[in-house]
Amino acid sequence: MMQTPLTMTQMIERAERYFPKKQVVSRTSSGIQRFTYKQIGERTRRLADSLTKLGVEKGDRVGTLAWNHHRHLEAYFAIPCIGAVLHTINIRLSPHHISYIINHAEDTVLLVDPDLIPLLEKCAHELKSVKAYIIMSDDKVLPETTLSPIYDYETLLADANPTFQYPEDIEENDPAGMCYTSATTGNPKGVVYSHRGIFLHSMALGLADSAAISEKDIALPVVPMFHANAWGMPFAAVWFGTSLVLPGPYFTPKLIAELIETEKVTITAGVPTIWLGLLKELDEGSYDLSSLRGVLCGGSAAPKGMIKAFEQRHNIPFLHAYGMTETSPLVVISTLKSYQENLDYEERLEIRAKQGILVPGLSIKVVGKDGEVAWDGKEMGELCIKGPWIASEYYKDERTHDAFGDGWLHTGDVVTIDEEGFVKIVDRTKDLIKSGGEWISSVDLENALMAHEAVFEAAVVAVPHEQWQERPVACVVLKDSYKDKVKKEDLHEFLIPQFAKWWLPDEILFLEEIPKTSVGKFLKITLREQVHKEVLKK
Amino acid sequence: MMQTPLTMTQMIERAERYFPKKQVVSRTSSGIQRFTYKQIGERTRRLADSLTKLGVEKGDRVGTLAWNHHRHLEAYFAIPCIGAVLHTINIRLSPHHISYIINHAEDTVLLVDPDLIPLLEKCAHELKSVKAYIIMSDDKVLPETTLSPIYDYETLLADANPTFQYPEDIEENDPAGMCYTSATTGNPKGVVYSHRGIFLHSMALGLADSAAISEKDIALPVVPMFHANAWGMPFAAVWFGTSLVLPGPYFTPKLIAELIETEKVTITAGVPTIWLGLLKELDEGSYDLSSLRGVLCGGSAAPKGMIKAFEQRHNIPFLHAYGMTETSPLVVISTLKSYQENLDYEERLEIRAKQGILVPGLSIKVVGKDGEVAWDGKEMGELCIKGPWIASEYYKDERTHDAFGDGWLHTGDVVTIDEEGFVKIVDRTKDLIKSGGEWISSVDLENALMAHEAVFEAAVVAVPHEQWQERPVACVVLKDSYKDKVKKEDLHEFLIPQFAKWWLPDEILFLEEIPKTSVGKFLKITLREQVHKEVLKK
């Protein structure tokens, strides 16, 4: 067979050549804009030319600090197609972590949305590698900013070559993208995606038994493009000629409902928090979302009641899936087997509320304390994953060994697997809380609390939350001398300057002691139960 | 990303683990048999163990001379999964060519259907590398044969290890399969398929916009498993947990219709000759084929009238595609774009009767005499193909350079490509005739005729044929001294011992001269027109 490399250049070129009339609908601060793939293709070539002229070379990292819109999409292809590495920066990280990851990735150029400039200005003095800031504005007017040197995206494109030819020396294992994910403690960890990984993952998204992304779809990724490549949807969509609807900054459930209705969206993707918001909107408003063939839901477990509400109240089919930044992300997807379609609705719902079965191309095993667990839907173990779109390491990070030591990715997620191979997440081995699709480190919160002079010990656990799936609650044992002298408001104040606002615990409980294992570790399972009861009482 | 190789072992293991209850329906000489993927998985492990015990080593070629049935399916996986190479032998080749390809591939073991033993016995004395013949019989009784040494398939499996573990040292570029294809002249040329190629091609078959092979399908490959891996359908079906219906030897249109009806087949694949036969059967008989979601048609162009007849008279949707042995085979497939669905039926039919648009993962170009042709549906050029499931050479064959000289496969097919990227085959640069999906070399027939003492010159051209798509007609200029002395029956008799029966020209026309180009080459386009008129007159 020919040794033609599995690279991304062919994806954007296929959209340009075969689907020049198909559309990308992009919502920016100035409203809805529409582009054909012919235009997107040409603009992507112009961006590639501009970056090359700015000195971006093969292997260089180029960061983006941006919402879901057409310019971000152009960056998704222009950067990898000149052999550079697309580093999508999670804007929800603390300024400290944002500085860390930009420095750690050694980004040479940053593409920034105008409304995110203030965020970046907080970090700019710490940045060591950035040589240019490109502002992705509709205005062609450079804003007042301390960032320097700055360039206007549209001005660069206007001066660039619309027929720029992508270099042909890209190998399939060359890095194409990277994304940092929160750690149990300390700085975020970087995951590098290769051209090959993105190629294969995109194919997996197009399989009839998976998300079945097709030219006939109109796809709306609500999941941010700074979260695991918006689950790979932009890559697959462009490759297959699928129309895209990109919802831009600060959208509301109402806006998402309107976009689905007016653009006749067929498939959308996002975390449960988004869908809970949309559900409320649909229950209250009046929309025709009959174009939707599927709502892809991942990032956290979708509550069964929510799936049922969408399907039975609004006739919108749900598609539950699971993955993580380290896995590109698609790993399992909850499409029923043919013979399961004959079950009654409640039985089907029971299966579909699980995370799903393995997509072709990957391997999983579920490892309990005595080796691989039985496929009985009961025995629990840690989910371990292997395959060509699974990370093999954290970028230049000593924490690689913990997760990837034996050639498998150890996810830290505790799951069961049933007789039919459906995986269900039941717990997490790592001290992480997932709030609205974003990670919060319980360990970092604990360490901060324990640094307070009044605190003897502190443990932070997740409690279930209707809107955010999980929220942190802190359990604090005060030093005897401080008892009754320190209030939870004091500790809250103490935490505020140290964390993003949404990291702060919803509740601080004072306990007499924290339950521990025989070796003195926090017994978080017991603590969680205790906290759930406390919180429910209130 | 992890460097996990793209190999076939995971395909059969996925079927075993995730779809153990799904079925393979296999028709053999003793009737219909049913196996689950659990059974097929175990039997495949037993076969792998048996072959290993017989001394088959990594890289060895193992040939099959067999129809479409469960044992052939087991061989499809057992052979590559021990690192050996599955060589599917086209039983329609002449005994001379069969000997040639077995010797050229250096097959060490042959798996043979009982009814094909007489065919193989004709070649056996010429075979140099074969050390064992395994007879794939239902009986467990070894037939009388001159082949030696022979083994019974079921006896071997009964003695073998059902939990045999496939070796883990297979690399993705290792050879997995091979298939020989007829040449313009001389011996067939070998194409080697890699694990990686088969992996990627199978993914392409599963894409929603391609054949969309799914777990929910019940797939009936009518296309022989000795033709380009039955177009890759068995690989994709096993991987995705799709039920398979394998029609066995000597089937009739009636049998195919009955199988589709009783097994509720959803997708089937074959050449136009098969579908013309089925159409006649459907027009005359009474069947419920409403389970069919698609008839995949390739190998030769499907006549528009036939597509229309299936769709309008029988409500069976057609799916036209194009490929060749060298391309695994899927290259283009005629699925409409979303906005083409709004056209009226005749306009849609016009598009769907073309061979289709490129599947993701490949590149094509259409090269006319002045470089790449315009995408206007008019300008003609040779179709050239590149990609990871396209052969890069003919196996140990000097003819490689002609077809693959510049890194592209030059197909020899003359095509147009329209504004939307749909490819339409319009002619062939090579002197090959495609009869019922099989190649006939016009050059070989010409050389044979010109070896007759009475023949001055001879040219063989294809004429369109309703059932076989094309049939050969010979045009002969007799030497002056033989004129009126030699009859066409004499030449026919002369050809009989030299060719397979279906190669013999349907008609031999005596001409005064053969039209030629300025440099003295046969002007076959002109000759073809002349012959069409002659044949139509009759």
Side-chain angles (χ1 to χ4, degrees), chain A residues 18 21 337 358 420, chain B residues 14 18 21 337 358 420:
Chain A
Y18 285 89
K21 302 174 192 167
K337 296 182 186 177
L358 189 64
E420 298 288 349
Chain B
R14 189 168 188 269
Y18 285 87
K21 301 172 190 167
K337 296 182 186 177
L358 190 63
E420 298 287 349

Side-chain angles (χ1 to χ4, degrees), chain A residues 1-4 6 10 14 17-19 21-22 172-173 192-194 196 199-200 203 206-209 212 214-216 239-240 328 336-339 341 357-361 364 375 385-392 407-409 420-421, chain B residues 1-4 6 10 14 17-19 21-22 172-173 192-194 196 199-200 203 206-209 212 214-216 239-240 328 336-339 341 357-361 364 375 385-392 407-409 420-421:
Chain A
M1 297 283 106
M2 292 181 182
Q3 285 304 310
T4 48
L6 313 181
Q10 65 189 281
R14 188 169 189 269
R17 253 201 129 168
Y18 285 89
F19 306 101
K21 302 174 192 167
K22 295 297 298 285
E172 66 184 50
N173 290 311
V192 176
Y193 305 106
S194 64
R196 169 181 160 112
F199 181 111
L200 293 169
M203 275 214 153
L207 294 176
D209 285 339
S214 150
E215 186 273 333
K216 294 179 177 57
W239 199 11
F240 304 150
S328 291
L336 292 177
K337 296 182 186 177
S338 42
Y339 51 84
E341 303 275 10
I357 68 167
L358 189 64
V359 296
I364 55 171
W375 283 29
I385 314 173
K386 195 150 85 171
W389 58 86
I390 309 299
S392 58
W408 290 80
L409 165 65
E420 298 288 349
Chain B
M1 299 283 105
M2 292 181 182
Q3 285 304 311
T4 49
L6 313 180
Q10 64 189 282
R14 189 168 188 269
R17 257 205 125 168
Y18 285 87
F19 306 101
K21 301 172 190 167
K22 297 294 300 285
E172 66 186 49
N173 290 311
V192 176
Y193 304 106
S194 65
R196 171 180 160 112
F199 180 110
L200 294 168
M203 275 213 152
L207 293 176
D209 284 338
S214 150
E215 187 273 334
K216 295 181 176 56
W239 199 11
F240 303 150
S328 290
L336 291 178
K337 296 182 186 177
S338 42
Y339 50 84
E341 302 276 9
I357 68 167
L358 190 63
V359 296
I364 55 172
W375 283 29
I385 314 173
K386 193 149 84 169
W389 58 87
I390 309 299
S392 58
W408 291 80
L409 164 64
E420 298 287 349

Side-chain angles (χ1 to χ4, degrees), chain B residues 163-196:
Chain B
T163 62
F164 175 85
Q165 292 300 300
Y166 299 115
E168 290 184 1
D169 62 345
I170 298 172
E171 303 288 336
E172 66 186 49
N173 290 311
D174 284 349
M178 68 190 302
C179 190
Y180 283 74
T181 182
S182 296
T184 309
T185 177
N187 287 314
K189 300 171 289 187
V191 171
V192 176
Y193 304 106
S194 65
H195 282 264
R196 171 180 160 112

Side-chain angles (χ1 to χ4, degrees), chain B residues 21 47 70 96 125 130 139 196 214 235 263 300 412 422 427 436 458 471 478 480:
Chain B
K21 301 172 190 167
L47 176 58
H70 66 288
H96 170 68
H125 64 284
V130 181
D139 309 337
R196 171 180 160 112
S214 150
F235 299 129
E263 301 300 334
S300 298
F422 281 70
D427 202 354
R471 288 294 303 156
L478 290 176
D480 285 343

Side-chain angles (χ1 to χ4, degrees), chain A residues 174-213:
Chain A
D174 284 349
M178 68 190 303
C179 190
Y180 284 73
T181 181
S182 295
T184 310
T185 177
N187 287 314
K189 300 171 291 187
V191 171
V192 176
Y193 305 106
S194 64
H195 282 263
R196 169 181 160 112
I198 290 170
F199 181 111
L200 293 169
H201 182 264
S202 303
M203 275 214 153
L205 280 178
L207 294 176
D209 285 339
S210 159
I213 306 287

Side-chain angles (χ1 to χ4, degrees), chain A residues 287-513:
Chain A
Y287 300 94
D288 173 9
L289 305 197
S290 58
S291 58
L292 271 182
R293 71 165 175 88
V295 169
L296 190 60
C297 184
S300 297
K304 207 156 62 176
M306 183 181 77
I307 300 179
K308 197 168 170 176
F310 265 98
E311 297 190 341
Q312 299 209 321
R313 290 214 293 272
H314 302 288
N315 203 22
I316 295 173
F318 242 68
L319 187 51
H320 206 184
Y322 164 88
M324 53 204 292
T325 301
E326 291 87 334
T327 65
S328 291
L330 185 62
V331 176
V332 300
I333 190 160
S334 210
T335 42
L336 292 177
K337 296 182 186 177
S338 42
Y339 51 84
Q340 292 174 325
E341 303 275 10
N342 302 326
L343 299 170
D344 67 34
Y345 181 77
E346 289 297 329
E347 288 172 305
R348 278 182 283 142
L349 183 62
E350 195 67 43
I351 300 167
R352 294 175 46 241
K354 298 182 182 186
Q355 275 64 36
I357 68 167
L358 189 64
V359 296
L362 301 179
S363 306
I364 55 171
K365 61 179 182 182
V366 180
V367 182
K369 53 186 187 306
D370 306 315
E372 284 195 55
V373 305
W375 283 29
D376 60 3
K378 288 173 195 150
E379 219 181 316
M380 290 184 281
E382 185 181 16
L383 179 65
C384 300
I385 314 173
K386 195 150 85 171
W389 58 86
I390 309 299
S392 58
E393 61 171 8
Y394 292 119
Y395 181 65
K396 296 185 181 173
D397 201 307
E398 287 177 357
R399 290 167 292 185
T400 288
H401 185 76
D402 301 339
F404 302 98
D406 60 351
W408 290 80
L409 165 65
H410 291 252
T411 62
D413 284 316
V414 178
V415 306
T416 59
I417 184 165
D418 69 15
E419 296 76 1
E420 298 288 349
F422 281 70
V423 169
K424 184 181 175 183
I425 307 285
V426 291
D427 202 354
R428 193 173 296 129
T429 61
K430 287 184 206 155
D431 281 336
L432 285 166
I433 294 152
K434 198 145 198 185
S435 169
E438 297 279 354
W439 293 114
I440 294 171
S441 163
S442 52
V443 176
D444 284 358
L445 288 172
E446 288 161 6
N447 289 342
L449 283 165
M450 288 197 276
H452 190 281
E453 55 179 0
V455 174
F456 170 66
E457 59 184 13
V460 175
V461 294
V463 293
H465 189 282
E466 200 183 342
Q467 186 182 1
W468 305 105
Q469 284 74 62
E470 290 181 1
R471 287 295 302 155
V473 166
C475 303
V476 171
V477 180
L478 291 176
K479 290 176 187 160
D480 285 343
S481 54
Y482 285 89
K483 281 192 178 152
D484 302 323
K485 288 177 191 154
V486 167
K487 284 180 288 188
K488 56 177 128 178
E489 289 73 18
D490 302 327
L491 297 178
H492 193 79
E493 289 293 318
F494 177 73
L495 292 176
I496 286 175
Q498 302 182 57
F499 297 99
K501 196 177 156 210
W502 56 274
W503 270 51
L504 300 176
D506 277 10
E507 182 65 74
I508 297 175
L509 303 173
F510 291 117
L511 304 185
E512 284 306 308
E513 61 170 344

